[in-house]
Coordinates of all heavy atoms in Angstrom, one line a residue:
M1 N -12.7 23.9 25.2 CA -12.2 24.6 26.3 C -13.4 25.5 26.8 O -14.0 26.2 26.1 CB -11.1 25.5 25.9 CG -10.5 26.3 27.1 SD -9.2 27.5 26.6 CE -10.2 28.9 25.9
S2 N -13.7 25.4 28.1 CA -14.7 26.3 28.6 C -14.0 27.6 29.1 O -12.9 27.6 29.5 CB -15.5 25.7 29.8 OG -14.6 25.5 30.9
V3 N -14.8 28.7 28.9 CA -14.2 30.0 29.2 C -15.1 30.8 30.2 O -16.2 30.4 30.4 CB -14.0 30.9 27.9 CG1 -13.0 30.3 26.9 CG2 -15.4 31.1 27.2
V4 N -14.5 31.8 30.8 CA -15.2 32.6 31.8 C -16.3 33.3 31.1 O -16.1 34.0 30.1 CB -14.3 33.6 32.5 CG1 -15.1 34.6 33.3 CG2 -13.2 32.9 33.3
T5 N -17.6 33.2 31.6 CA -18.7 34.0 31.0 C -19.4 34.7 32.2 O -19.3 34.3 33.3 CB -19.7 33.0 30.3 OG1 -20.1 32.1 31.2 CG2 -19.1 32.4 29.1
I6 N -20.1 35.7 31.8 CA -20.9 36.5 32.8 C -22.4 36.3 32.4 O -22.7 36.4 31.2 CB -20.5 38.0 32.7 CG1 -19.0 38.2 32.7 CG2 -21.3 38.8 33.7 CD1 -18.4 38.0 34.1
T7 N -23.2 36.2 33.4 CA -24.6 36.2 33.2 C -25.2 37.6 33.4 O -25.1 38.2 34.5 CB -25.4 35.2 34.1 OG1 -24.8 33.9 33.9 CG2 -26.8 35.1 33.8
L8 N -25.7 38.2 32.4 CA -26.3 39.5 32.4 C -27.6 39.5 33.2 O -28.2 38.5 33.3 CB -26.5 40.1 31.0 CG -25.2 40.2 30.2 CD1 -25.5 40.5 28.7 CD2 -24.2 41.1 30.8
P9 N -28.1 40.7 33.7 CA -29.3 40.8 34.5 C -30.5 40.1 33.7 O -31.4 39.6 34.4 CB -29.5 42.3 34.7 CG -28.1 42.8 34.6 CD -27.4 42.0 33.6
D10 N -30.5 40.2 32.4 CA -31.7 39.6 31.7 C -31.5 38.1 31.4 O -32.3 37.6 30.7 CB -32.0 40.4 30.5 CG -30.9 40.3 29.4 OD1 -29.9 39.6 29.6 OD2 -31.1 40.9 28.3
G11 N -30.4 37.6 31.9 CA -30.2 36.1 31.7 C -29.3 35.8 30.6 O -28.9 34.6 30.5
R12 N -29.0 36.7 29.7 CA -28.1 36.4 28.6 C -26.7 36.2 29.1 O -26.3 36.7 30.1 CB -28.1 37.5 27.6 CG -29.4 37.5 26.7 CD -29.3 38.7 25.8 NE -29.2 39.9 26.5 CZ -28.8 41.1 26.0 NH1 -28.3 41.2 24.8 NH2 -28.7 42.2 26.8
S13 N -25.9 35.4 28.3 CA -24.5 35.1 28.7 C -23.6 36.0 27.9 O -23.8 36.3 26.7 CB -24.2 33.7 28.4 OG -22.9 33.4 28.6
W14 N -22.6 36.5 28.5 CA -21.6 37.4 27.8 C -20.2 36.9 28.1 O -19.9 36.5 29.3 CB -21.7 38.8 28.3 CG -20.7 39.8 27.7 CD1 -20.5 40.1 26.4 CD2 -19.7 40.5 28.4 NE1 -19.4 40.9 26.2 CE2 -18.9 41.2 27.5 CE3 -19.4 40.6 29.8 CZ2 -17.9 42.0 27.8 CZ3 -18.3 41.4 30.1 CH2 -17.6 42.1 29.2
T15 N -19.3 36.8 27.1 CA -18.0 36.3 27.3 C -17.0 37.5 27.2 O -16.7 38.1 26.2 CB -17.6 35.3 26.2 OG1 -18.6 34.3 26.2 CG2 -16.2 34.8 26.4
P16 N -16.4 37.9 28.4 CA -15.4 39.0 28.4 C -14.2 38.5 27.7 O -13.8 37.3 27.8 CB -15.2 39.3 29.8 CG -15.7 38.2 30.6 CD -16.7 37.4 29.7
K17 N -13.5 39.4 26.9 CA -12.3 39.1 26.3 C -11.2 40.1 26.8 O -11.3 41.3 26.6 CB -12.4 39.2 24.8 CG -13.3 38.1 24.2 CD -13.3 38.0 22.7 CE -14.2 36.8 22.3 NZ -14.8 37.1 21.0
F18 N -10.3 39.5 27.5 CA -9.3 40.3 28.3 C -8.1 40.7 27.4 O -7.7 40.0 26.5 CB -8.8 39.5 29.5 CG -10.0 39.1 30.4 CD1 -10.7 37.9 30.2 CD2 -10.4 40.0 31.4 CE1 -11.7 37.6 31.1 CE2 -11.4 39.7 32.3 CZ -12.1 38.5 32.1
V19 N -7.6 41.9 27.7 CA -6.5 42.4 26.9 C -5.2 41.5 27.1 O -4.9 41.1 28.1 CB -6.1 43.9 27.3 CG1 -5.6 44.0 28.7 CG2 -5.2 44.5 26.3
Q20 N -4.6 41.2 25.9 CA -3.4 40.3 25.9 C -2.2 41.1 25.5 O -1.1 41.0 26.0 CB -3.6 39.2 24.9 CG -4.8 38.3 25.1 CD -4.7 37.5 26.4 OE1 -3.7 36.8 26.6 NE2 -5.6 37.7 27.3
N21 N -2.4 41.9 24.4 CA -1.2 42.6 23.8 C -1.6 43.8 23.1 O -2.7 44.0 22.6 CB -0.5 41.6 22.9 CG 0.8 42.1 22.3 OD1 1.6 42.6 23.1 ND2 0.9 42.1 21.0
I22 N -0.6 44.8 23.1 CA -0.8 46.0 22.2 C 0.4 45.9 21.3 O 1.6 45.9 21.7 CB -0.7 47.3 23.0 CG1 -1.9 47.3 24.0 CG2 -0.8 48.5 22.1 CD1 -1.8 48.5 25.0
D23 N 0.2 46.0 20.0 CA 1.2 45.9 19.0 C 2.0 47.2 18.9 O 1.4 48.2 18.4 CB 0.6 45.5 17.6 CG 1.7 45.3 16.5 OD1 2.8 45.9 16.7 OD2 1.4 44.6 15.6
Q24 N 3.1 47.3 19.5 CA 3.8 48.6 19.6 C 4.4 49.0 18.3 O 4.7 50.2 18.1 CB 4.9 48.4 20.6 CG 4.3 48.1 22.0 CD 5.2 48.5 23.2 OE1 6.4 48.6 23.0 NE2 4.6 48.7 24.3
D25 N 4.5 48.2 17.3 CA 4.9 48.6 15.9 C 3.8 49.4 15.3 O 4.1 50.3 14.5 CB 5.3 47.4 15.1 CG 6.5 46.8 15.5 OD1 7.4 47.5 16.2 OD2 6.7 45.6 15.3
K26 N 2.5 49.1 15.6 CA 1.4 49.8 15.0 C 1.0 51.0 15.8 O 0.4 52.0 15.2 CB 0.2 48.9 14.9 CG 0.3 47.7 13.9 CD -1.0 47.1 13.8 CE -1.0 45.7 13.2 NZ -2.3 45.0 13.4
C27 N 1.2 51.0 17.1 CA 0.7 52.0 18.0 C 1.3 53.4 17.7 O 2.5 53.5 17.5 CB 0.9 51.7 19.4 SG 0.4 52.9 20.6
I28 N 0.4 54.4 17.6 CA 0.9 55.8 17.4 C 0.8 56.7 18.7 O 1.0 57.9 18.6 CB 0.1 56.5 16.2 CG1 -1.4 56.4 16.6 CG2 0.4 55.8 14.9 CD1 -2.3 57.2 15.6
G29 N 0.5 56.0 19.8 CA 0.5 56.7 21.1 C -0.6 57.8 21.2 O -0.4 58.8 21.9
C30 N -1.7 57.6 20.5 CA -2.7 58.7 20.4 C -3.5 58.8 21.7 O -4.1 59.9 22.0 CB -3.7 58.4 19.3 SG -4.7 56.9 19.6
G31 N -3.5 57.8 22.5 CA -4.2 57.9 23.8 C -5.7 57.6 23.9 O -6.3 57.7 24.9
R32 N -6.3 57.3 22.7 CA -7.7 57.1 22.7 C -8.1 55.9 23.6 O -9.1 56.0 24.4 CB -8.2 56.7 21.3 CG -8.2 57.9 20.3 CD -8.7 57.4 19.0 NE -8.9 58.5 18.0 CZ -7.9 59.0 17.2 NH1 -6.7 58.6 17.4 NH2 -8.2 59.9 16.3
C33 N -7.3 54.9 23.6 CA -7.6 53.7 24.4 C -7.6 54.0 25.9 O -8.4 53.6 26.7 CB -6.7 52.5 24.0 SG -5.0 53.0 24.2
F34 N -6.6 54.8 26.2 CA -6.4 55.2 27.7 C -7.6 55.9 28.1 O -8.1 55.7 29.3 CB -5.1 56.0 27.8 CG -4.8 56.5 29.2 CD1 -4.0 55.7 30.0 CD2 -5.3 57.7 29.6 CE1 -3.8 56.1 31.3 CE2 -5.1 58.1 30.9 CZ -4.3 57.3 31.8
R35 N -8.1 56.8 27.3 CA -9.3 57.6 27.7 C -10.6 56.8 28.0 O -11.4 57.1 28.8 CB -9.6 58.7 26.7 CG -8.5 59.8 26.7 CD -8.9 60.9 25.8 NE -7.8 61.9 25.8 CZ -6.9 62.0 24.9 NH1 -6.8 61.1 23.9 NH2 -5.9 62.9 25.0
V36 N -10.7 55.7 27.2 CA -12.0 54.9 27.4 C -11.8 53.8 28.4 O -12.9 53.3 28.9 CB -12.5 54.3 26.1 CG1 -12.8 55.3 25.0 CG2 -11.5 53.3 25.5
C37 N -10.7 53.5 28.9 CA -10.5 52.4 29.9 C -10.8 53.0 31.2 O -10.1 53.9 31.7 CB -9.1 51.8 29.8 SG -8.9 50.5 31.0
G38 N -11.7 52.4 31.9 CA -12.1 52.9 33.3 C -11.4 52.1 34.4 O -11.8 52.2 35.5
R39 N -10.4 51.3 34.0 CA -9.9 50.3 35.0 C -8.4 50.5 35.3 O -7.8 49.6 35.9 CB -10.2 48.9 34.5 CG -11.7 48.5 34.3 CD -12.3 48.3 35.7 NE -11.6 47.2 36.3 CZ -11.6 46.9 37.6 NH1 -12.3 47.7 38.4 NH2 -10.9 46.0 38.2
E40 N -7.8 51.5 34.8 CA -6.4 51.8 35.0 C -5.5 50.6 34.6 O -4.6 50.2 35.4 CB -6.2 52.2 36.5 CG -7.0 53.5 36.8 CD -6.7 54.0 38.2 OE1 -6.0 53.3 39.0 OE2 -7.1 55.1 38.5
V41 N -5.8 50.1 33.4 CA -5.0 49.0 32.9 C -3.8 49.5 32.1 O -2.7 48.9 32.1 CB -5.9 48.1 32.0 CG1 -5.1 47.0 31.4 CG2 -7.1 47.6 32.8
L42 N -4.0 50.6 31.5 CA -3.0 51.1 30.5 C -2.1 52.2 30.9 O -2.4 53.0 31.8 CB -3.8 51.6 29.2 CG -4.9 50.6 28.7 CD1 -5.7 51.2 27.6 CD2 -4.2 49.3 28.2
Q43 N -0.9 52.2 30.3 CA 0.0 53.3 30.6 C 0.8 53.7 29.4 O 1.3 52.9 28.6 CB 1.1 52.7 31.6 CG 2.3 53.6 31.9 CD 1.9 54.8 32.7 OE1 1.3 54.7 33.8 NE2 2.2 56.0 32.1
L44 N 0.7 55.0 29.1 CA 1.5 55.5 28.0 C 3.0 55.6 28.4 O 3.3 56.1 29.5 CB 1.0 56.9 27.6 CG 1.6 57.6 26.4 CD1 1.1 56.9 25.1 CD2 1.1 59.1 26.3
V45 N 3.8 55.2 27.5 CA 5.3 55.3 27.8 C 6.0 56.0 26.6 O 5.5 55.9 25.5 CB 5.9 53.9 28.0 CG1 5.3 53.2 29.2 CG2 6.0 53.1 26.8
G46 N 7.1 56.6 26.9 CA 8.0 57.2 25.9 C 9.2 56.3 25.8 O 9.7 55.7 26.8
I47 N 9.7 56.1 24.5 CA 10.9 55.4 24.3 C 11.9 56.4 23.8 O 11.7 57.0 22.7 CB 10.7 54.2 23.3 CG1 9.6 53.3 23.9 CG2 12.0 53.5 23.1 CD1 9.1 52.2 22.9
D48 N 13.0 56.5 24.5 CA 14.0 57.5 24.0 C 15.0 56.9 23.1 O 14.9 55.7 22.7 CB 14.7 58.2 25.2 CG 15.7 57.3 26.0 OD1 16.0 56.2 25.4 OD2 16.1 57.7 27.1
E49 N 16.0 57.7 22.6 CA 16.9 57.2 21.5 C 17.8 56.1 22.0 O 18.3 55.3 21.2 CB 17.7 58.4 21.0 CG 18.5 59.1 22.1 CD 19.1 60.4 21.6 OE1 18.7 60.7 20.4 OE2 19.9 61.0 22.3
D50 N 17.9 55.9 23.3 CA 18.7 54.8 23.8 C 17.8 53.5 24.1 O 18.3 52.5 24.6 CB 19.4 55.2 25.1 CG 20.3 56.4 24.9 OD1 21.0 56.4 23.8 OD2 20.4 57.3 25.8
G51 N 16.5 53.6 23.8 CA 15.6 52.5 24.0 C 15.1 52.5 25.4 O 14.4 51.5 25.8
A52 N 15.4 53.5 26.3 CA 14.9 53.5 27.6 C 13.4 53.8 27.6 O 12.9 54.6 26.8 CB 15.6 54.5 28.5
V53 N 12.6 53.2 28.5 CA 11.2 53.3 28.5 C 10.8 54.1 29.8 O 11.2 53.7 30.9 CB 10.5 51.9 28.6 CG1 9.0 52.0 28.7 CG2 10.8 51.1 27.3
I54 N 10.0 55.2 29.5 CA 9.7 56.1 30.7 C 8.2 56.3 30.7 O 7.6 56.6 29.6 CB 10.4 57.4 30.5 CG1 11.9 57.3 30.5 CG2 10.0 58.4 31.6 CD1 12.6 57.5 29.3
A55 N 7.5 56.1 31.8 CA 6.1 56.3 32.0 C 5.8 57.7 31.8 O 6.5 58.6 32.3 CB 5.6 55.8 33.3
L56 N 4.7 58.1 31.0 CA 4.3 59.4 30.7 C 2.9 59.7 31.1 O 2.1 58.8 31.2 CB 4.4 59.7 29.2 CG 5.8 59.5 28.5 CD1 5.6 59.7 27.0 CD2 6.8 60.5 29.1
E57 N 2.6 61.0 31.3 CA 1.2 61.4 31.4 C 0.7 61.8 30.1 O 1.3 62.5 29.3 CB 1.1 62.6 32.4 CG 1.2 62.2 33.8 CD 0.9 63.4 34.7 OE1 0.0 64.2 34.4 OE2 1.5 63.4 35.8
L58 N -0.6 61.5 29.8 CA -1.2 61.8 28.6 C -1.3 63.3 28.5 O -1.7 64.0 29.4 CB -2.6 61.2 28.5 CG -3.2 61.0 27.1 CD1 -2.3 60.1 26.3 CD2 -4.6 60.4 27.2
G59 N -1.0 63.9 27.3 CA -1.1 65.3 27.1 C 0.1 66.1 27.5 O 0.1 67.3 27.4
A60 N 1.1 65.5 28.1 CA 2.3 66.2 28.6 C 3.0 66.7 27.3 O 3.1 66.1 26.3 CB 3.2 65.3 29.4
D61 N 3.6 67.9 27.4 CA 4.2 68.6 26.3 C 5.7 68.2 26.2 O 6.6 69.0 26.5 CB 4.1 70.1 26.4 CG 4.6 70.8 25.1 OD1 4.7 70.1 24.1 OD2 4.9 72.0 25.2
D62 N 6.0 66.9 25.9 CA 7.3 66.4 25.9 C 7.7 65.6 24.7 O 8.6 64.7 24.7 CB 7.6 65.6 27.2 CG 6.5 64.5 27.3 OD1 5.8 64.3 26.4 OD2 6.4 63.9 28.4
D63 N 7.1 66.0 23.6 CA 7.3 65.2 22.3 C 8.7 65.1 21.9 O 9.2 64.2 21.3 CB 6.4 65.8 21.2 CG 5.0 65.4 21.3 OD1 4.7 64.6 22.2 OD2 4.2 66.0 20.5
D64 N 9.5 66.2 22.2 CA 10.9 66.2 21.7 C 11.8 65.2 22.4 O 12.8 64.9 21.9 CB 11.5 67.6 21.9 CG 10.7 68.7 21.1 OD1 9.9 68.2 20.2 OD2 10.8 69.9 21.4
E65 N 11.4 64.8 23.5 CA 12.3 64.0 24.3 C 12.3 62.5 24.0 O 13.2 61.8 24.4 CB 11.9 64.1 25.8 CG 12.1 65.6 26.3 CD 11.6 65.7 27.7 OE1 11.8 64.8 28.5 OE2 11.1 66.8 28.0
Y66 N 11.3 62.1 23.2 CA 11.2 60.6 22.9 C 11.1 60.4 21.4 O 10.6 61.1 20.6 CB 9.9 60.1 23.6 CG 9.9 60.4 25.0 CD1 9.1 61.4 25.6 CD2 10.8 59.7 25.9 CE1 9.2 61.7 26.9 CE2 10.8 60.0 27.2 CZ 10.0 61.0 27.7 OH 10.1 61.4 29.1
E67 N 11.7 59.2 21.1 CA 11.7 58.8 19.7 C 10.2 58.4 19.3 O 9.8 58.6 18.2 CB 12.5 57.5 19.5 CG 14.0 57.7 19.7 CD 14.6 58.3 18.4 OE1 14.5 57.6 17.3 OE2 15.1 59.4 18.4
K68 N 9.5 57.8 20.3 CA 8.2 57.3 20.0 C 7.5 57.2 21.4 O 8.1 57.0 22.4 CB 8.4 55.8 19.5 CG 7.2 55.2 19.0 CD 7.5 53.9 18.3 CE 6.2 53.1 18.1 NZ 5.7 52.6 17.1
K69 N 6.1 57.4 21.3 CA 5.3 57.1 22.4 C 4.3 55.9 22.1 O 3.8 55.9 21.0 CB 4.4 58.3 22.8 CG 5.1 59.5 23.3 CD 4.2 60.6 23.6 CE 4.9 61.8 24.1 NZ 4.0 62.9 24.4
V70 N 4.2 55.0 23.0 CA 3.3 53.9 22.8 C 2.5 53.6 24.0 O 3.0 53.8 25.1 CB 4.1 52.6 22.3 CG1 4.7 52.8 20.9 CG2 5.1 52.2 23.3
M71 N 1.4 52.9 23.8 CA 0.6 52.5 25.0 C 1.1 51.1 25.4 O 1.5 50.3 24.5 CB -0.9 52.4 24.6 CG -1.8 52.4 25.7 SD -1.7 53.9 26.8 CE -2.2 55.2 25.8
T72 N 1.0 50.8 26.7 CA 1.4 49.5 27.2 C 0.3 49.0 28.2 O -0.5 49.8 28.7 CB 2.7 49.6 28.0 OG1 2.6 50.6 29.0 CG2 3.9 50.0 27.0
V73 N 0.4 47.7 28.5 CA -0.5 47.1 29.5 C 0.3 47.1 30.8 O 1.2 46.3 30.9 CB -0.9 45.7 29.0 CG1 -1.8 45.1 30.1 CG2 -1.6 45.7 27.7
A74 N -0.1 47.9 31.7 CA 0.6 48.1 33.0 C 0.0 47.2 34.1 O 0.7 46.7 35.0 CB 0.7 49.5 33.4
N75 N -1.4 47.1 34.1 CA -2.1 46.4 35.2 C -3.1 45.5 34.6 O -4.3 45.7 34.6 CB -2.8 47.4 36.1 CG -1.8 48.4 36.7 OD1 -0.9 48.0 37.4 ND2 -2.0 49.7 36.4
E76 N -2.5 44.4 34.0 CA -3.4 43.4 33.2 C -4.5 42.9 34.1 O -5.6 42.6 33.6 CB -2.5 42.3 32.7 CG -3.1 41.4 31.8 CD -2.1 40.3 31.3 OE1 -0.9 40.5 31.5 OE2 -2.6 39.3 30.7
K77 N -4.2 42.7 35.4 CA -5.2 42.0 36.2 C -6.4 42.9 36.5 O -7.4 42.4 37.0 CB -4.6 41.6 37.5 CG -3.6 40.4 37.3 CD -3.1 39.9 38.6 CE -2.3 38.6 38.3 NZ -1.3 38.3 39.3
N78 N -6.3 44.2 36.2 CA -7.5 45.1 36.4 C -8.5 45.0 35.3 O -9.6 45.5 35.4 CB -7.0 46.6 36.4 CG -6.4 47.0 37.8 OD1 -6.3 46.1 38.7 ND2 -6.0 48.2 37.9
C79 N -8.1 44.4 34.1 CA -8.9 44.4 32.9 C -10.2 43.5 33.2 O -10.1 42.4 33.7 CB -8.1 43.8 31.8 SG -9.1 43.7 30.2
V80 N -11.3 44.1 32.8 CA -12.6 43.4 32.9 C -13.1 42.8 31.5 O -14.2 42.3 31.4 CB -13.7 44.3 33.5 CG1 -13.4 44.6 34.9 CG2 -13.9 45.5 32.7
G81 N -12.3 43.0 30.5 CA -12.6 42.3 29.2 C -13.6 43.0 28.4 O -14.3 42.3 27.6
C82 N -13.8 44.3 28.5 CA -14.9 45.0 27.8 C -14.6 45.3 26.4 O -15.5 45.5 25.6 CB -15.2 46.3 28.6 SG -13.9 47.6 28.4
E83 N -13.3 45.3 26.0 CA -12.9 45.5 24.6 C -13.1 47.0 24.1 O -13.0 47.2 22.9 CB -13.5 44.5 23.6 CG -13.0 43.1 23.9 CD -13.6 42.2 22.9 OE1 -13.0 42.0 21.8 OE2 -14.7 41.6 23.2
A84 N -13.4 47.9 25.0 CA -13.6 49.3 24.6 C -12.3 49.8 24.0 O -12.4 50.6 23.0 CB -14.0 50.2 25.8
C85 N -11.2 49.4 24.5 CA -9.9 49.9 24.0 C -9.7 49.5 22.6 O -9.2 50.3 21.7 CB -8.8 49.4 24.9 SG -8.8 47.6 25.2
A86 N -10.0 48.2 22.3 CA -9.8 47.7 20.9 C -10.8 48.4 19.9 O -10.4 48.7 18.8 CB -10.1 46.2 20.9
K87 N -12.0 48.6 20.4 CA -13.0 49.3 19.5 C -12.6 50.7 19.1 O -12.8 51.1 18.0 CB -14.4 49.3 20.2 CG -15.1 48.0 20.2 CD -16.6 48.2 20.2 CE -17.3 46.9 19.9 NZ -17.4 46.0 21.1
I88 N -12.0 51.4 20.0 CA -11.7 52.8 19.7 C -10.3 53.0 19.0 O -10.0 54.0 18.4 CB -11.7 53.7 21.0 CG1 -11.9 55.1 20.6 CG2 -10.5 53.5 21.8 CD1 -13.0 55.8 21.3
C89 N -9.5 51.9 19.0 CA -8.1 52.1 18.5 C -8.1 52.2 17.0 O -8.7 51.3 16.3 CB -7.3 50.8 18.9 SG -5.6 50.9 18.1
P90 N -7.6 53.3 16.4 CA -7.6 53.4 15.0 C -6.6 52.6 14.2 O -6.7 52.5 13.0 CB -7.3 54.9 14.8 CG -6.4 55.3 16.0 CD -6.9 54.4 17.1
K91 N -5.7 52.0 14.9 CA -4.6 51.2 14.2 C -4.7 49.7 14.5 O -3.8 49.0 14.1 CB -3.3 51.7 14.7 CG -3.0 53.2 14.6 CD -3.2 53.6 13.1 CE -1.9 53.6 12.4 NZ -2.0 54.1 11.0
K92 N -5.8 49.3 15.1 CA -6.0 47.8 15.4 C -4.8 47.2 16.0 O -4.3 46.2 15.6 CB -6.4 47.1 14.1 CG -7.6 47.6 13.4 CD -8.1 46.7 12.3 CE -9.3 47.2 11.5 NZ -10.2 48.1 12.1
C93 N -4.4 47.8 17.1 CA -3.2 47.3 17.9 C -3.5 46.2 18.8 O -2.6 45.5 19.2 CB -2.6 48.5 18.7 SG -2.1 49.9 17.7
Y94 N -4.8 46.0 19.2 CA -5.1 45.2 20.3 C -5.3 43.7 20.0 O -5.9 43.4 19.0 CB -6.3 45.7 21.1 CG -6.0 46.8 22.0 CD1 -6.0 48.1 21.6 CD2 -5.7 46.5 23.3 CE1 -5.6 49.2 22.5 CE2 -5.3 47.5 24.2 CZ -5.3 48.8 23.8 OH -5.0 49.8 24.7
T95 N -4.9 42.8 20.9 CA -5.3 41.4 20.9 C -6.0 41.1 22.2 O -5.5 41.5 23.3 CB -4.0 40.5 20.8 OG1 -3.2 40.9 19.8 CG2 -4.4 39.1 20.7
H96 N -7.2 40.5 22.2 CA -7.9 40.1 23.4 C -8.3 38.7 23.3 O -8.4 38.1 22.2 CB -9.3 40.9 23.4 CG -9.1 42.4 23.7 ND1 -9.5 42.9 24.9 CD2 -8.6 43.4 23.0 CE1 -9.2 44.2 24.9 NE2 -8.7 44.5 23.8
E97 N -8.4 38.1 24.5 CA -8.8 36.6 24.5 C -9.7 36.4 25.7 O -9.6 37.0 26.7 CB -7.6 35.8 24.7 CG -7.0 35.3 23.4 CD -5.8 34.4 23.6 OE1 -5.7 33.7 24.7 OE2 -4.9 34.4 22.7
A98 N -10.6 35.4 25.5 CA -11.4 34.9 26.6 C -10.5 34.2 27.6 O -9.4 33.7 27.2 CB -12.5 34.0 26.1
M99 N -10.9 34.1 28.8 CA -10.1 33.5 29.8 C -10.6 32.0 30.1 O -11.8 31.8 30.2 CB -10.2 34.3 31.1 CG -9.2 33.8 32.2 SD -9.5 34.7 33.7 CE -8.8 36.3 33.3
A100 N -9.7 31.1 30.2 CA -10.1 29.7 30.4 C -10.7 29.7 31.8 O -10.2 30.2 32.8 CB -8.9 28.8 30.4
A101 N -11.9 28.9 31.9 CA -12.6 28.8 33.2 C -11.9 27.8 34.1 O -11.3 26.9 33.6 CB -14.0 28.5 33.0
Ligands
SF4_1 S1 -10.7 45.6 27.7 FE1 -11.8 47.3 28.9 S2 -10.9 47.1 31.0 FE2 -9.6 45.9 29.6 S3 -7.9 47.3 29.0 FE3 -9.5 47.5 27.4 S4 -10.9 49.2 28.0 FE4 -9.6 48.6 29.8
SF4_2 S1 -5.7 53.8 20.5 FE1 -4.4 52.3 19.5 S2 -2.9 53.7 18.4 FE2 -3.9 54.9 20.0 S3 -2.5 54.7 21.8 FE3 -4.1 53.2 22.0 S4 -3.2 51.3 21.1 FE4 -2.0 53.1 20.4

């Protein structure tokens, strides 16, 4: 299978790996990945005791209102496949894949 590759200015080839999934069982909602993503791909959400999912702002003082906070992929098409989010994640939540050409 051929995949999308980028030719760097010095002629080398680089294969971007695009975000596929964040394992919400492992995610602790720390926000590190959100901070390093420059493409507005990610969205922190709170899950309340009824299972309702509510979009949150990072750093908001609302810990009591949610059972759990997790990161989600909100704008997958914005991803440029840099994998910065996966590199910084302390819980290895991310799955990335190259895109078929
Ligand atoms: S791979 Fe890069 S662009 Fe894509 S979600 Fe992660 S940090 Fe953002
Ligand atoms: S860095 Fe990892 S653990 Fe922290 S919010 Fe992002 S996905 Fe969740």
Side-chain angles (χ1 to χ4, degrees):
M1 180 185 81
S2 67
V3 296
V4 171
T5 59
I6 308 288
T7 304
L8 299 172
D10 68 359
R12 285 177 300 157
S13 176
W14 175 63
T15 303
K17 292 190 178 148
F18 299 90
V19 66
Q20 302 293 305
N21 187 49
I22 300 171
D23 186 335
Q24 298 202 338
D25 291 335
K26 290 189 197 166
C27 178
I28 55 172
C30 68
R32 286 177 174 87
C33 55
F34 181 88
R35 290 189 180 93
V36 298
C37 179
R39 296 284 304 160
E40 298 185 351
V41 177
L42 306 171
Q43 172 69 57
L44 186 67
V45 302
I47 301 171
D48 72 12
E49 56 192 7
D50 300 322
V53 175
I54 299 111
L56 300 176
E57 278 188 36
L58 200 62
D61 186 19
D62 50 14
D63 282 354
D64 297 345
E65 295 173 37
Y66 305 103
E67 291 282 299
K68 188 174 167 132
K69 290 180 181 179
V70 292
M71 199 58 67
T72 58
V73 179
N75 299 302
E76 189 178 345
K77 289 186 174 156
N78 283 0
C79 180
V80 293
C82 68
E83 296 180 86
C85 50
K87 283 213 168 77
I88 199 125
C89 176
K91 305 302 269 183
K92 301 194 185 331
C93 299
Y94 277 88
T95 309
H96 289 251
E97 267 181 26
M99 186 183 291

